[in-house]
Amino acid sequence: MRKVMIAAAAAAGMTATLPAQAGFFSNWFDRNDAETRHPIVLVPGIFAFDTIAGVDYWYRIPAALESEGATVFIPRINAFDSSAMRGERLIEQLEEIRAASNGQIEKFNLIGHSQGGLTSRYVMNVRPDLVASVSTAHSPHKGSPLADVATGIAPEGTLRGITFEAFSNAVGNLVNLLSDNRHDRADVNAMLAEFNSDGSAAFNAQFPAGVPESACGEGPAEVTINGHPIRLYSWSGTATFTTGLDLSDALFGATSLAFEEANDGVTGRCSSHFGQVIKDNYTMNHIDVNNHVLGMVSLFETRPETLFRNHAVRLKQAGL
């Protein structure tokens, strides 16, 4: 099984690692609490990367899952682009993994952070045969006022907008390069157009499955698309100042001023709702959930590694 998974990951250009073996006595302590039926795919949000300069996007989270039996894949996704384009890239990699597994892999549990949640929603709608579940963490399903602010300050086609686009895409392309993603070119305007008020409404009209009908309600815990049942989950946080020790507190403290509801600095509490809402008010800002900056998160909240481990157990108990 291990060789199959490594070969599949290599074929798809994904990062995948399996539980480390720690010598003769390792089997005495092996645990499989997080060993889900279908592999877990951690789908990054904007500024997507797997590893840059030895720092993982999902800081220490894959290792925590793998230590308890999970098989985890991390796709290479464009730093800035629409969820549809990112989703098509993800589909390519999932297909390659499935083909290389010789029938051992049928579907995947997609867990998306931020825009990774919408990327996962796109995949489940256009290729439901690949998806067993979609879980979204801090994803702005009903848009983010930050996108409206950005498109308002630097409208596309204006001098300010052209300058913003050129600078942002240069940053995105650098992130892609450092993450060894040579396939994609950043498109910040395509990303922003999806998260402003109009773009978000259009995306949800096209892909309504799982989105709550009320302003701050829950969506269905399961949907069936083209005969394929898919379980749906979401969680988020409503804190911006969580440690006082890393730069993200100041950054998200400033961005939170654009909101009229509790938020994590990028995603509003109600906007994060999708499918079954596990919890929407963790003491976490937008990047605490993926254990950044470098593990500096609130001492008074569940560790991100534990949160993901608990969710893997939840998926396993659901037969996923």
Side-chain angles (χ1 to χ4, degrees), residues 32-113:
N32 64 353
D33 294 354
E35 187 178 4
T36 56
R37 175 185 174 188
H38 307 287
I40 290 172
V41 179
L42 298 177
V43 186
I46 63 171
F47 288 103
F49 63 92
D50 49 12
T51 300
I52 293 179
V55 177
D56 296 334
Y57 182 98
W58 304 91
Y59 189 67
R60 296 181 177 175
I61 291 171
L65 292 171
E66 291 159 358
S67 70
E68 297 196 29
T71 298
V72 181
F73 291 103
I74 302 172
R76 290 196 174 105
I77 301 290
N78 198 351
F80 299 142
D81 210 339
S82 68
S83 292
M85 294 301 295
R86 297 168 99 246
E88 288 297 323
R89 180 66 69 193
L90 178 55
I91 288 169
E92 291 175 6
Q93 295 173 67
L94 298 179
E95 286 181 327
E96 289 172 0
I97 290 175
R98 188 164 74 170
S101 75
N102 295 320
Q104 296 185 51
I105 297 175
E106 298 178 0
K107 296 186 176 185
F108 301 87
N109 292 307
L110 306 182
I111 304 180
H113 170 235

Side-chain angles (χ1 to χ4, degrees), residues 181-231:
N181 177 7
R182 303 175 187 275
H183 297 287
D184 301 306
R185 301 293 297 175
D187 188 345
V188 69
N189 283 332
M191 180 270 291
L192 287 174
E194 187 173 276
F195 289 104
N196 61 29
S197 300
D198 292 340
S200 174
F203 186 88
N204 288 335
Q206 186 175 8
F207 304 116
V211 178
E213 294 184 3
S214 60
C216 202
E218 286 193 69
E222 180 175 296
V223 295
T224 299
I225 301 176
N226 294 340
H228 298 278
I230 302 172
R231 291 293 297 268

